[in-house]
Amino acid sequence: MTTERPLRVLLADDEHLIRGALAALLALEEDLVVVAEAASGPEALAMALAHRPDVAVLDLQMPGADGVKVATSLRAELPHCRTMIVTSHGRPGHLKRALAAGVRGFVPKTVSARRLAEIIRTVHAGNRYVDPELAADAISAGDSPLTAREAEVLELAADGAPVAEIAERASLSQGTVRNYLSSAASKIGAENRHTAVRLARERGWV
Amino acid sequence: MTTERPLRVLLADDEHLIRGALAALLALEEDLVVVAEAASGPEALAMALAHRPDVAVLDLQMPGADGVKVATSLRAELPHCRTMIVTSHGRPGHLKRALAAGVRGFVPKTVSARRLAEIIRTVHAGNRYVDPELAADAISAGDSPLTAREAEVLELAADGAPVAEIAERASLSQGTVRNYLSSAASKIGAENRHTAVRLARERGWV
DNA sequence: CACTGCTCATGACAAACGTCATGGGGTGGC
DNA sequence: GCCACCCCATGACGTTTGTCATGAGCAGTG
């Protein structure tokens, strides 16, 4: 691990404080070099295309496009580049979305920098790494019992919009919307759609 | 700034990655020394009492007790210690709560480490610092138009509970609850209580 | 003291919502 | 080809909400 070509890393996080600090810590690792930094989704994509990193470390929540979206685009445009997600809130749903997008690493920000460096190497080697606790959460939350439309309608109900508005935005009749909301709520075990939205959010089903 | 006694800093953030990285960056500043780190609210309090820092840099969201609660306790138990909050999401309400708790600095995590160090010095010198953008948000959100009971009832409605449950938990009649919710929603300009809850949250009125 | 504003309540009405039964159309599996 | 399951809709029903008018008790203010 001395004379080898260093592992090129892209760092994307909208929080300057964290991104800078992270870059500084990763720079301490001899075999890693941070070749680019980005503060938003689109910027991350542009930087990746310009600097062609081996591994892209993406924050989940960024302006423009979140980490998973960036990972999806990256997979298409820069297939050799491995992607991993670092996040503060480990919702089960995010993990699922990320894995579906071809992300190979998923870690909470509670890990240490040294550990993160190890995981970057693991991911670069072609292996996967998912934080055990997050994985356990995802398993215990189970798979979503909701159908595609139920989930969609529930999402439209998220900000407290009345049925009429949801119906219009989904191009459905009001009756249909109420049916979907009703079945979604009963599947989730909620008394009304508002608590249903909350619970579905917590379990990563929307 | 060479022979002076260094400025003692406590760092509290539940995200190990960020806390460690931050400590490393602040260590680069000659006049600052991180004397303690904590990963939770209670731990932050204990560490502060043990190490008596000059400035406590607290994350807003931590397990156990959030940054503002810690600041409140700190103010009582360690009055000479200045407190400041660093946060990812700058909700106007948080800022108001923080200032009321005697916090002297309030910054988003989008600032650079160098800037943070400057602000730590500013706060230590007895001055206040509030991120201009967050301050503007707080001002534009204005003061809450809600009466005490309206806010209380709205809060009980936060998780989507039906009126009957709210009435029971508030020891009010259902009719009264509906009146409060109605007037609160109309004051806020929301169509129903659920959006009212959301908007009130965003503006820091609950 | 009159006035204003908050608190709490009741009753009543319309609108919105949750639930159920029912049915047609589509897709995929066995 | 049958069956299961999803998608979408309609109509009907009872319940929950939102809104309004009204009024009593109780501060605090000028």
Side-chain angles (χ1 to χ4, degrees):
Chain A
M1 68 168 68
T2 52
T3 58
E4 285 179 16
R5 175 176 160 281
L7 203 161
R8 298 159 58 78
V9 177
L10 163 78
L11 222 50
D13 193 318
D14 62 324
E15 295 171 348
H16 192 294
L17 191 55
I18 290 154
R19 196 176 68 246
L22 218 52
L25 281 192
L26 290 182
L28 298 179
E29 306 286 324
E30 287 186 356
D31 54 336
L32 302 185
V33 52
V34 177
V35 294
E37 296 185 22
S40 74
E43 192 186 343
L45 206 52
M47 291 301 249
L49 293 178
H51 293 91
R52 313 197 146 254
D54 299 311
V55 177
V57 178
L58 309 169
D59 187 14
L60 191 52
Q61 45 193 2
M62 282 187 294
D66 73 13
V68 177
K69 282 184 191 154
V70 174
T72 306
S73 311
L74 230 45
R75 191 172 178 67
E77 306 203 36
L78 217 62
H80 87 276
C81 174
R82 317 287 196 188
T83 55
M84 51 183 297
I85 299 278
V86 178
T87 179
S88 315
H89 339 281
R91 293 282 179 73
H94 295 153
L95 175 52
K96 262 180 246 177
R97 274 180 61 220
L99 292 180
V103 166
R104 310 192 73 93
F106 199 95
V107 292
K109 283 185 178 167
T110 48
V111 301
S112 70
R114 171 122 309 164
R115 189 97 191 76
L116 179 65
E118 282 174 30
I119 295 168
I120 289 177
R121 293 188 196 102
T122 303
V123 165
H124 178 242
N127 300 311
R128 291 178 183 236
Y129 178 85
V130 171
D131 179 74
E133 198 157 341
L134 293 182
D137 282 355
I139 291 167
S140 76
D143 266 353
S144 173
L146 304 178
T147 69
R149 274 294 180 289
E150 283 166 356
E152 184 190 332
V153 170
L154 203 56
E155 193 146 27
L156 287 172
D159 55 354
V163 169
E165 192 181 319
I166 300 172
E168 194 183 359
R169 289 215 276 167
S171 300
L172 290 175
S173 88
Q174 298 194 16
T176 303
V177 169
R178 291 196 292 171
N179 286 339
Y180 282 148
L181 287 175
S182 179
S183 69
S186 85
K187 278 179 182 176
I188 290 176
E191 284 184 343
N192 57 50
R193 60 198 163 119
H194 303 288
T195 62
V197 165
R198 198 167 47 80
L199 292 174
R201 277 260 164 82
E202 286 174 10
R203 297 174 197 174
W205 294 342
V206 292
Chain B
M1 65 171 69
T2 53
T3 58
E4 285 179 13
R5 174 177 161 281
L7 203 163
R8 299 158 56 79
V9 176
L10 163 78
L11 222 51
D13 193 317
D14 61 326
E15 295 170 349
H16 191 295
L17 191 54
I18 290 153
R19 196 176 69 247
L22 220 52
L25 281 192
L26 289 182
L28 298 179
E29 306 286 324
E30 287 188 354
D31 54 336
L32 302 185
V33 52
V34 177
V35 294
E37 295 184 23
S40 75
E43 192 185 343
L45 207 53
M47 292 299 249
L49 294 178
H51 293 92
R52 314 196 145 255
D54 299 312
V55 177
V57 178
L58 308 170
D59 187 15
L60 192 52
Q61 45 193 1
M62 283 187 292
D66 73 12
V68 176
K69 281 184 192 154
V70 174
T72 307
S73 310
L74 230 45
R75 192 172 177 67
E77 305 203 34
L78 216 63
H80 88 278
C81 173
R82 316 288 196 190
T83 55
M84 51 183 296
I85 299 279
V86 178
T87 179
S88 314
H89 342 279
R91 293 282 181 74
H94 295 152
L95 175 52
K96 262 181 241 175
R97 275 180 59 219
L99 291 180
V103 166
R104 310 190 73 93
F106 199 94
V107 293
K109 282 183 179 167
T110 48
V111 302
S112 69
R114 171 123 308 163
R115 190 97 191 76
L116 179 65
E118 283 174 29
I119 297 168
I120 290 176
R121 293 185 196 105
T122 303
V123 165
H124 179 242
N127 300 311
R128 291 178 184 236
Y129 178 86
V130 171
D131 179 75
E133 198 156 339
L134 292 181
D137 282 355
I139 290 168
S140 76
D143 265 353
S144 173
L146 304 178
T147 69
R149 274 293 180 289
E150 284 166 355
E152 184 190 332
V153 170
L154 202 56
E155 193 145 12
L156 287 173
D159 53 355
V163 170
E165 191 181 320
I166 300 172
E168 194 184 0
R169 290 214 276 167
S171 300
L172 290 174
S173 88
Q174 297 194 15
T176 304
V177 169
R178 290 195 292 170
N179 287 339
Y180 282 147
L181 287 175
S182 178
S183 68
S186 84
K187 279 179 183 177
I188 291 176
E191 285 184 342
N192 57 51
R193 62 198 160 122
H194 303 288
T195 63
V197 165
R198 198 168 48 80
L199 291 174
R201 276 261 164 80
E202 285 175 10
R203 296 174 197 174
W205 293 344
V206 292

